[in-house]
């Protein structure tokens, strides 16, 4: 074993070896660091905490002209001039920079140094504080900026040179950026527009002339296509006109697009050409710079030079190709087919004046004819005569002229058409007003026979068909002229499609056609859109479906697809089993033509197919579309897609969807929105002014149910005389078109007299914008002819009733005639309901003790009487029924008050019940005949044949029957009135036990 001394000795040797290795590694690392520092591309110096230079790298030695580090360190302070460019002491400023870095850890500045030979050198110095044991040292980096400043100077010189080129150019130049901002221009453009300096010009263009100077449309087109050329006459700052040829060229600078605008002053073309003759170089520059095509041609019609515009205009490959094939731009055959000859020589009278003319050239590649305006200028080139032929492409100008003429013709035709439509509207609507008005008045009467009612109903329906055709034509005119707008508002979706379905039931007529309505239960309860336009689109398509379907079925299905959280796509699909269409017919379906398919086959079909064109245009206006599929002989399907906003996200649900499918709607949710009751207004004074006596008759008839005091005037002058006599009316209804003095002139004169009461126009002209026309001429509104009874009712309630005191209105209601304006069907329905409610309530009063079910029955019947009494104008007794209804809900029924109510109700029943006549034994009905006739009515209703059902019902009513049969017949009459065919069938089936 080794003794301890040997072990200790070996351990000491091991330690010394390890220390030696570490020192070698450290030495190697120092050498590597020094090599990296000496090879660095910038000067590096080291400073101690006292800010004395202590070391440097070799680049520092080389940069300042030394050969050894010791020399650099010894003469460090000599390497900076005494004073810096800012006037500060170099030594002091340098110490401040060192102190800044020692304090904050970093500083960076520009500092002027000098080499050992005294040459100044601009440098960038950076100082970084680093730790060295327990002390700080500073590392200073110096970068020679001589090359940087030289590059900056070269760039400045290049920019100044470029600006000199721009400012010395004989063509006005501007530079526009992609934001349509003018950022630079040359001196020539400033002089051309009469400004003093560039700033004034740039400011004026930016603030006053931006769109007038160069149209944004032209600029955008130049950015898109690379080149735009046009001619325009500008106005100088002094007001003088400046005709210019403008050329916009897209250029790329620093990877960004710009547009260079070149302005050629056409008044100085001759002067520019004279300058171009001075030297060949300037002539070539002018040739390439001008935006007009130009050839330099000798007298023997051979070209010696051209510009790039000529190459582009005539489709040559390059200048050499254009010069070689110059004669090919002269066509041998004119566009009209006449033979043409290329001139052998240019005959020229040396007057030094330009010659202008038009000539037909052609493209050397495509052969396209190019009309050109040619300006020929005589030039003296090296004592040899030359001709400069400037050619301006006239195609665009000629197209513009032709387009202007076409538009003038089109506008004239449109004006003529609108004038014709306005005249036609007035001329046709005026007699239609009388026809529809008289039919309305007669249908309001309660004593007509079924045949008379049916005749007036057919007159009314036929007149409405004619009115629909007129409206279709006028709507098409509005769409074409862009005057038809959209009215967006929230609408009830179920009511919309219920109304569409019921409106189109009349189209079934006597046909064996079933009508199906399928509305998705997922449809939102309310949507936001133009309800009227949707109806028009659907009704147009359904109308054609029924017209061209003789038997089978027509189906309308309504669904939606989600667009986003707030929007849906409304999908309407209308299919039929009619005669269908060929593909050729589908292709022309939505055209402007008003043709009728298979005219020989469909000569009895009412109406024109123009409605499909209108429907398509309306759908497009709403952002939707219509398309169709069809198989000839088997039927057609139309698809309507309309984007709508969601008004109420709650879905319709299964119950409402089923009710719509069966054409049933609950009274609470889907009351007919277009029905109204005539309100007694004996306090109202009305004047109707019209030059047509039949129109006055119609207006008085339509106003009669209101109990108003109605006066008439046959002319505007007579109306003025009435006002001058001191008369005052709640409303004056004034015809628009009258001879001698029309409605507008009459209204103006009345307003000039100080008459301030409402004046409402009656107009048969619905082409122009009526609201603006009438409201701006003293009217309070207008009603189109034929008179819209719904709009008439709204004006009467707004301008007459709503301006009365509550006491006056209440008194008028109490004095209202019981049966005024109420049809037999309405009165019969009231009598049935009142008699049934009276019987139920008297039975309940006879019972001394009530259960919950009795109170419920009491509440239901008093509630029903509240509505029924209101419908026939008995508002006071209706209010009493409302009090009883609430008492029933609270289970606090006053039997005495109920008896008084029933007595008053019995008096009304007695007063409005028809007087019983002694039955004629010969007219007593036979039961077997009754059963036969009821089965006929049921069969007619199953096929939606309303007319036949009503005819048979009239036959049955001509006989005397017992109370049970009378109740059934009254119910059938009421159900037929509302088009409830299924209820009629159910009632007859129940009565006959089927």
């Amino acid at each position: 074993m080794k003794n301890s001394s040997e072990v200790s000795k070996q351990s000491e040797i091991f330690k010394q070896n390890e220390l030696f290795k570490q020192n070698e590694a450290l030495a190697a690392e120092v050498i590597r660091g020094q090599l990296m520092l000496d090879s660095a591309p910038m000067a590096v110096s080291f400073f101690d905490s006292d800010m004395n230079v202590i070391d440097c790298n070799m680049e520092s030695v080389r940069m300042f002209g030394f050969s050894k580090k010791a020399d650099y360190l010894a003469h460090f302070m000599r390497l900076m001039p005494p004073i810096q460019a800012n006037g500060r002491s170099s030594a002091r400023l340098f110490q401040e920079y060192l102190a800044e870095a020692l304090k904050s850890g970093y500083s960076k500045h520009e500092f002027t140094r000098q080499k050992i030979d005294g040459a100044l050198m601009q440098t960038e110095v950076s100082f970084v504080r680093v730790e060295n044991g327990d002390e700080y040292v500073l590392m200073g980096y110096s970068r020679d900026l001589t090359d940087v400043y030289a590059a900056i100077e070269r760039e400045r010189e290049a920019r100044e040179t470029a600006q000199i080129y721009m400012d010395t150019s004989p063509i006005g130049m501007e530079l526009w950026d992609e934001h349509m901002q003018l950022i630079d221009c040359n001196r020539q453009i400033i002089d051309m527009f009469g400004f003093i300096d560039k700033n004034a010009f740039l400011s004026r263009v930016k603030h006053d002339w931006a769109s007038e100077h160069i149209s944004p449309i032209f600029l955008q087109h130049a950015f898109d296509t690379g080149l735009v050329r046009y001619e325009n006459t500008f106005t100088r700052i002094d007001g003088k006109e400046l005709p210019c040829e403008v050329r916009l060229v897209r250029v790329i600078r620093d990877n960004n697009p710009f547009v260079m605008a070149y302005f050629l002053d056409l008044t100085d073309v001759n002067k520019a050409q004279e300058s171009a003759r001075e030297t060949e170089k300037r002539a070539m520059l002018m040739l390439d710079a001008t935006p007009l095509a130009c050839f330099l041609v000798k007298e023997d019609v051979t070209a010696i030079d051209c510009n790039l515009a000529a190459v582009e205009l005539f489709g040559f490959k390059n200048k050499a190709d254009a010069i070689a094939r110059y004669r090919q731009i002269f066509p041998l055959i004119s566009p009209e087919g006449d033979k043409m000859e290329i001139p052998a020589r240019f005959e020229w009278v040396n007057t030094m004046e330009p010659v202008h003319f038009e000539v037909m050239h052609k493209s050397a590649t495509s052969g396209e004819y190019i009309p050109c305006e040619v300006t020929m200028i005589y030039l003296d080139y090296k004592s040899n005569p030359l001709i400069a032929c400037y050619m301006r492409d006239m195609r665009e100008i000629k197209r513009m002229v032709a387009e202007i003429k076409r538009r003038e013709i089109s506008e004239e035709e449109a004006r003529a058409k609108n004038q014709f439509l306005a005249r036609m509207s007035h001329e046709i609507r005026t007699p239609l007003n009388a026809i529809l008005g008289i039919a309305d008045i007669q249908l309001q009467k309660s004593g007509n026979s079924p045949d008379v009612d049916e005749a007036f109903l057919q007159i009314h329906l036929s007149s409405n068909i004619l009115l629909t055709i007129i409206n279709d034509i006028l709507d098409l005119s509005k769409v074409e002229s862009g005057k038809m707008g959209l009215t967006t508002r929230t609408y009830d979706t179920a009511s919309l499609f219920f109304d569409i379905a019921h409106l189109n039931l009349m189209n079934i007529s006597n046909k064996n056609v079933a009508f199906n309505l399928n509305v998705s239960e997922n449809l939102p309860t309310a949507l936001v859109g133009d309800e009227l336009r949707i109806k028009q689109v659907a009704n147009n398509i359904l109308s054609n479906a029924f017209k061209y379907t003789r038997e089978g079925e027509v189906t309308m299905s309504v669904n939606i697809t989600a667009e986003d959280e707030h929007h849906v796509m409304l999908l309407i699909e209308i299919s039929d089993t009619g005669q269908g269409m060929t593909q050729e017919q589908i292709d022309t379906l939505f055209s402007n033509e008003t043709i009728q398919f298979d005219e020989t086959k469909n000569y009895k079909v009412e109406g024109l197919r123009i409605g499909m064109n209108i429907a398509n245009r309306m759908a497009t206006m709403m952002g939707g579309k219509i398309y169709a599929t069809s198989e000839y002989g088997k039927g057609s399907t139309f698809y309507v897609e309309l984007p709508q906003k969601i008004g109420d996200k709650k879905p319709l649900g299964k119950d409402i969807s089923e009710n719509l499918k069966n054409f049933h709607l609950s009274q609470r949710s889907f009351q007919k929105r277009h029905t109204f009751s005539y309100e007694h207004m004996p306090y109202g004074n009305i004047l109707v002014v019209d030059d047509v006596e039949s129109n006055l008759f119609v207006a008085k008839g339509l106003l009669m149910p209101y109990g108003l005091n109605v006066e008439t005037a046959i002319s505007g002058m007579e109306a003025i005389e009435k006002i001058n006599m001191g008369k005052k009316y709640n409303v004056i209804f004034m015809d628009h078109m009258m001879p001698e003095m029309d409605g507008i002139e009459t209204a103006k004169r009345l307003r000039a007299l100080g008459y301030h009461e409402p004046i409402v126009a009656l107009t048969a002209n619905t082409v122009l914008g009526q609201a603006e026309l009438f409201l701006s001429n003293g009217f309070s509104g207008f009603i189109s002819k034929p008179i819209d009874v719904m709009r008439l009712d709204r004006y009467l309630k707004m301008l007459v009733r709503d301006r009365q005191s509550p006491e006056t209105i209440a008194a008028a209601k109490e004095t209202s005639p019981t049966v005024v304006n109420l049809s037999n069907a309405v009165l019969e329905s009231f009598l049935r309901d009142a008699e049934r409610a009276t019987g139920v309530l008297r039975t309940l009063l006879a019972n001394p003790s009530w259960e919950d079910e009795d109170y419920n029955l009491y509440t239901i019947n008093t509630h029903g009487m509240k509505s029924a009494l209101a419908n026939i104008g008995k508002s006071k007794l209706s209010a009493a029924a409302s009090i009883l209804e609430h008492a029933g809900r609270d289970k606090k029924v006053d039997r005495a008050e109920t008896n008084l109510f029933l007595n008053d109700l019995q008096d009304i029943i007695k007063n409005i019940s028809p007087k019983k006549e002694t039955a004629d034994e010969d007219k007593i009905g036979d039961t077997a005949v009754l059963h036969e006739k009821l089965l006929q009515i049921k069969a007619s209703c199953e096929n939606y044949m309303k007319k036949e059902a009503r005819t048979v019902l009239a036959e049955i009513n001509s006989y005397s029957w017992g109370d049970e049969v009378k109740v059934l017949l009254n119910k059938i009459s009421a159900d037929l009135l509302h088009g409830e065919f299924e209820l009629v069938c159910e009632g007859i089936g129940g009565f006959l036990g089927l």
Side-chain angles (χ1 to χ4, degrees):
M1 294 180 60
K2 295 181 180 179
N3 55 35
S4 59
S5 61
E6 290 178 350
V7 172
S8 176
K9 184 177 181 180
Q10 290 178 357
S11 176
E12 184 64 28
I13 293 172
F14 177 77
K15 291 180 179 178
Q16 290 179 358
N17 290 335
E18 288 297 318
L19 182 60
F20 180 75
K21 292 179 180 178
Q22 291 178 4
N23 289 335
E24 281 188 335
L26 181 59
E29 185 177 347
V30 170
I31 293 172
R32 286 196 300 272
Q34 188 64 45
L35 288 173
M36 293 174 61
L37 188 63
D38 289 339
S39 62
M42 62 172 55
V44 181
S45 302
F46 296 87
F47 303 86
D48 60 17
S49 57
D50 295 327
M51 296 181 287
N52 297 316
V53 62
I54 58 176
D55 201 358
C56 67
N57 69 346
M58 289 305 297
E59 180 62 23
S60 300
V61 176
R62 289 190 293 269
M63 181 183 292
F64 290 93
F66 293 100
S67 60
K68 296 184 296 184
K69 286 185 179 181
D71 294 339
Y72 172 79
L73 297 175
H75 301 286
F76 181 77
M77 294 307 295
R78 291 177 54 194
L79 301 179
M80 57 185 72
I83 302 298
Q84 291 291 308
N86 58 7
R88 296 285 308 277
S89 168
S90 296
R92 183 168 302 204
L93 191 60
F94 194 79
Q95 290 294 319
E96 290 178 4
Y97 292 162
L98 289 172
E100 178 185 352
L102 192 61
K103 181 179 179 180
S104 63
Y106 178 78
S107 68
K108 181 178 180 180
H109 305 277
E110 285 192 15
F111 193 77
T112 303
R113 304 286 296 275
Q114 65 183 14
K115 296 182 180 182
I116 192 63
D117 60 3
L120 296 179
M121 178 172 58
Q122 194 69 20
T123 65
E124 179 185 77
V125 294
S126 302
F127 300 102
V128 180
R129 186 184 66 195
V130 296
E131 291 185 8
N132 183 24
D134 296 333
E135 296 181 348
Y136 287 118
V137 296
L138 294 174
M139 294 184 65
Y141 300 90
S142 297
R143 184 162 67 97
D144 186 356
L145 298 179
T146 303
D147 292 340
V148 174
Y149 280 109
I152 293 174
E153 180 63 18
R154 288 195 299 273
E155 182 182 1
R156 184 188 64 78
E157 291 177 355
R159 290 184 181 277
E160 289 181 353
T161 302
Q163 188 64 47
I164 290 172
Y165 289 154
M166 284 187 63
D167 288 339
T168 58
S169 173
I171 296 179
M173 298 181 186
E174 296 174 350
L175 184 64
W176 295 75
D177 65 15
E178 57 185 333
H179 302 295
M180 310 300 178
Q181 297 294 320
L182 177 59
I183 61 175
D184 201 359
C185 65
N186 69 345
R187 183 70 230 179
Q188 179 67 15
I189 197 71
I190 297 170
D191 294 340
M192 286 173 63
F193 283 88
F195 285 87
I196 298 173
D197 56 38
K198 180 186 292 188
N199 290 334
F201 177 73
L202 295 176
S203 176
R204 184 62 178 269
V205 172
K206 180 178 180 181
H207 295 99
D208 298 330
W209 285 357
S211 59
E212 296 180 12
H213 186 61
I214 294 183
S215 170
I217 297 175
F218 288 147
L219 279 173
Q220 187 60 53
H221 192 53
F223 275 112
D224 293 339
T225 64
L227 177 64
V228 173
R229 289 181 295 182
Y230 64 96
E231 185 177 316
N232 189 29
T233 299
F234 299 94
T235 302
R236 287 167 42 94
I237 190 65
D238 57 8
K240 295 180 180 179
E241 291 188 347
L242 178 66
C244 290
E245 181 82 17
V246 182
R247 181 174 184 176
L248 306 178
V249 182
R250 183 183 63 213
V251 296
I252 303 297
R253 190 179 76 179
D254 297 333
N255 294 325
N256 292 317
F258 295 86
V259 165
M260 281 294 300
Y262 298 92
F263 291 76
L264 176 64
D265 185 352
L266 297 182
T267 60
D268 294 333
V269 172
N270 290 338
K271 183 178 179 180
Q273 293 306 312
E274 291 172 359
S275 299
R277 287 200 307 270
E278 295 176 2
T279 65
E280 182 177 357
K281 182 177 179 180
R282 289 189 64 184
M284 293 306 303
L285 288 174
M286 281 300 298
L287 281 173
D288 281 336
T290 181
L292 298 177
C294 181
F295 282 95
L296 290 178
V297 185
K298 295 192 294 185
E299 290 180 309
D300 61 355
V301 196
T302 58
I304 64 169
D305 212 336
C306 69
N307 65 353
L308 295 177
V311 175
E312 179 183 344
L313 176 60
F314 296 107
F316 294 108
K317 296 178 182 179
N318 46 46
K319 283 188 176 183
D321 184 43
I323 295 169
R325 296 198 293 152
Y326 165 68
R327 295 172 67 89
Q328 292 184 15
I329 70 172
F330 294 88
L332 298 177
I333 303 295
S334 72
E336 294 77 21
D338 299 329
K339 186 177 179 181
M340 301 177 67
E341 293 183 0
I342 302 176
R345 291 183 61 82
F346 280 141
E347 299 296 335
W348 190 266
V349 177
N350 189 5
T351 62
M352 302 301 292
E353 293 293 329
V355 175
H356 305 278
F357 57 90
E358 282 194 22
V359 69
M360 185 66 71
H361 285 298
K362 74 170 184 175
S363 170
T365 52
S366 67
E368 177 188 2
Y369 286 95
I370 303 175
C372 293
E373 181 185 69
V374 179
T375 299
M376 300 181 70
I377 300 175
Y378 179 86
L379 302 175
D380 185 6
Y381 178 70
K382 296 181 179 179
S383 300
N384 293 315
L386 281 182
I387 299 171
C389 297
Y390 291 89
M391 305 166 183
R392 184 168 62 160
D393 186 354
M394 299 293 291
R395 287 176 296 184
E396 187 62 30
I397 295 176
K398 289 184 178 294
R399 278 194 292 266
M400 290 174 61
V401 171
E403 177 63 16
I404 291 172
K405 290 183 179 179
R406 187 196 66 78
R407 288 182 180 179
E408 289 176 350
I409 295 172
S410 177
E411 290 172 0
E412 183 62 32
E413 291 175 348
R415 283 193 293 270
K417 181 176 72 174
N418 285 335
Q419 291 173 359
F420 167 75
L421 290 175
R423 186 166 58 252
M424 182 193 73
S425 170
H426 182 269
E427 296 299 330
I428 298 180
R429 283 173 177 269
T430 296
L432 265 183
N433 178 55
I435 296 170
L436 277 169
I438 294 172
D440 273 330
I441 294 170
Q442 294 302 320
L443 288 172
Q444 291 169 10
K445 293 183 178 179
S446 58
N448 295 333
S449 67
D451 289 342
V452 172
D453 272 346
E454 183 65 27
F456 279 110
L457 181 62
Q458 291 303 319
I459 291 172
H460 196 278
L461 292 177
S462 297
S463 299
N464 267 318
I465 290 173
L466 180 57
L467 184 59
T468 299
I469 295 173
I470 296 171
N471 288 336
D472 278 351
I473 296 173
L474 297 178
D475 281 347
L476 180 60
S477 174
K478 290 178 182 179
V479 171
E480 289 177 342
S481 62
K483 293 182 179 179
M484 177 171 285
L486 297 177
T487 302
T488 302
R489 56 189 171 193
T490 303
Y491 61 88
D492 186 282
T493 50
S495 295
L496 169 64
F497 292 106
F498 178 79
D499 288 349
I500 292 173
H502 268 264
L503 178 64
N504 283 275
L505 282 176
M506 69 176 63
N507 290 321
I508 296 177
S509 186
N510 297 330
K511 295 181 179 180
N512 185 22
V513 178
F515 185 21
N516 306 314
L517 175 62
N518 301 313
V519 178
S520 170
E521 61 186 70
N522 297 321
L523 205 67
T525 301
L527 294 174
V528 180
D530 194 324
E531 180 183 15
L532 175 61
R533 301 303 178 204
I534 296 174
K535 279 186 178 181
Q536 287 179 295
V537 170
N539 288 337
N540 266 311
I541 299 175
L542 282 169
S543 174
N544 277 335
F546 283 111
K547 286 176 184 177
Y548 295 102
T549 303
R550 296 184 178 179
E551 60 181 4
E553 62 181 16
V554 173
T555 300
M556 180 169 70
S557 300
V558 185
N559 212 325
I560 58 166
T561 57
E563 293 288 303
D564 55 44
E565 184 180 358
H566 304 291
H567 300 80
V568 295
M569 182 66 74
L570 184 63
L571 307 175
I572 305 173
E573 179 181 336
I574 299 174
S575 61
D576 62 66
T577 58
Q579 65 190 50
M581 296 175 287
T582 64
Q583 186 59 48
E584 181 181 0
Q585 291 170 338
I586 293 177
D587 293 340
T588 61
L589 185 62
F590 301 114
S591 69
N592 289 326
E593 301 171 4
T594 57
I595 61 171
Q596 187 181 68
F597 291 153
D598 298 337
E599 293 186 12
T600 303
K601 183 178 180 181
N602 299 306
Y603 70 96
K604 292 184 178 181
V605 175
E606 296 173 327
L608 299 171
R609 196 181 55 79
I610 190 172
M612 294 308 299
N613 182 26
I614 297 173
N616 182 49
R617 294 190 179 210
M618 286 182 177
T620 302
M621 284 174 58
M622 290 185 282
K625 62 180 179 179
I626 303 177
Y627 54 95
T629 60
S630 183
E631 185 175 353
Y632 190 75
K634 294 187 177 181
S636 305
T637 301
F638 286 81
Y639 303 90
V640 183
E641 297 181 2
L642 300 171
Q644 301 286 284
K645 291 183 180 178
I646 299 175
D648 187 345
K649 293 182 179 180
K650 180 183 177 182
L652 291 182
K654 187 174 181 180
D655 291 342
I656 295 179
S657 177
E658 287 296 321
N659 286 339
L660 286 170
K661 185 175 183 179
N662 298 320
F663 294 174
H664 295 163
L665 293 173
S666 68
Q667 183 180 6
R668 177 179 60 84
S669 300
F670 309 111
Q671 291 179 340
K672 295 180 72 177
R673 289 163 294 167
H674 302 310
T675 59
F676 63 93
S677 58
Y678 293 101
E679 188 160 340
H680 196 47
M681 303 180 190
Y683 43 74
N685 295 306
I686 304 297
L687 175 64
V688 182
V689 185
D690 201 306
D691 63 303
V692 180
E693 291 190 10
S694 61
N695 288 343
L696 293 174
F697 172 78
V698 168
K700 290 178 66 176
L702 295 177
L703 293 169
M704 186 186 306
Y706 295 92
L708 295 157
N709 302 308
V710 181
E711 294 185 23
T712 61
I714 200 69
S715 68
M717 187 57 69
E718 185 179 346
I720 293 174
E721 290 175 357
K722 287 180 178 287
I723 300 304
N724 283 331
M725 292 170 60
K727 291 192 175 184
K728 187 176 180 180
Y729 303 94
N730 295 95
V731 184
I732 297 177
F733 290 105
M734 180 85 67
D735 183 34
H736 175 203
M737 303 295 290
M738 294 187 294
E740 297 181 5
M741 185 189 301
D742 65 14
I744 292 178
E745 181 63 26
T746 304
K748 287 182 178 179
R749 294 197 182 187
L750 289 175
R751 296 305 188 202
L753 292 172
Y755 188 80
H756 301 296
E757 299 303 315
I759 305 174
V760 176
L762 301 176
T763 177
N765 179 7
T766 61
V767 174
L768 301 176
Q770 301 298 346
E772 296 79 2
L773 174 66
F774 294 116
L775 293 178
S776 62
N777 284 283
F779 287 89
S780 304
F782 74 95
I783 300 175
S784 62
K785 291 182 181 180
I787 294 176
D788 183 343
V789 292
M790 291 294 302
R791 196 172 180 91
L792 175 65
D793 182 74
R794 286 197 297 271
Y795 275 121
L796 291 174
K797 289 176 179 176
M798 177 177 64
L799 301 178
V800 180
R801 182 198 65 183
D802 293 349
R803 299 189 178 189
Q804 309 299 319
S805 66
E807 295 77 14
T808 301
I809 296 173
K813 288 183 177 180
E814 290 304 316
T815 60
S816 174
T818 301
V819 297
V820 68
N821 302 322
L822 298 177
S823 67
N824 288 336
V826 174
L827 292 176
E828 289 169 359
S829 297
F830 169 78
L831 289 173
R832 288 196 303 272
D833 295 337
E835 289 172 352
R836 182 178 63 254
T838 301
V840 171
L841 292 174
R842 290 200 183 280
T843 301
L844 289 173
L845 291 177
N847 184 6
S849 60
W850 286 8
E851 302 292 338
D852 289 344
E853 185 178 342
D854 296 319
Y855 283 106
N856 186 44
L857 190 60
Y858 178 90
T859 302
I860 291 173
N861 280 273
T862 52
H863 172 79
M865 281 297 95
K866 177 183 69 175
S867 300
L869 287 165
N871 287 339
I872 65 168
K874 294 301 179 182
S875 56
K876 188 173 181 179
L877 197 57
S878 174
S882 178
I883 295 173
L884 298 179
E885 176 192 354
H886 286 90
R889 285 201 178 95
D890 298 336
K891 299 182 180 179
K892 297 179 181 180
V893 174
D894 188 324
R895 293 173 180 266
E897 290 294 333
T898 306
N899 272 317
L900 290 175
F901 170 78
L902 289 175
N903 291 337
D904 291 341
L905 180 59
Q906 195 63 49
D907 289 341
I908 292 175
I909 294 172
K910 181 179 179 181
N911 289 334
I912 66 177
S913 295
K915 306 302 181 183
K916 293 184 178 180
E917 298 179 358
T918 304
D920 187 348
E921 293 183 359
D922 294 335
K923 298 291 287 182
I924 295 176
D926 181 80
T927 303
V929 174
L930 174 65
H931 284 209
E932 179 186 351
K933 298 297 182 183
L934 289 176
L935 289 175
Q936 291 179 13
I937 293 175
K938 183 173 182 294
S940 298
C941 288
E942 287 173 345
N943 292 298
Y944 300 102
M945 301 170 68
K946 186 176 182 179
K947 180 178 179 181
E948 284 77 355
R950 292 180 62 179
T951 301
V952 177
L953 181 61
E955 294 179 16
I956 299 176
N957 280 325
S958 66
Y959 293 90
S960 297
W961 304 100
D963 291 340
E964 183 181 6
V965 176
K966 286 182 178 179
V967 171
L968 173 65
L969 297 179
N970 288 335
K971 185 176 185 306
I972 292 174
S973 178
D975 289 340
L976 281 176
L977 179 67
H978 295 95
E980 300 287 359
F981 298 107
E982 293 184 2
L983 293 180
V984 174
C985 295
E986 291 175 4
I988 293 175
F991 181 81
L992 298 178
L994 301 177

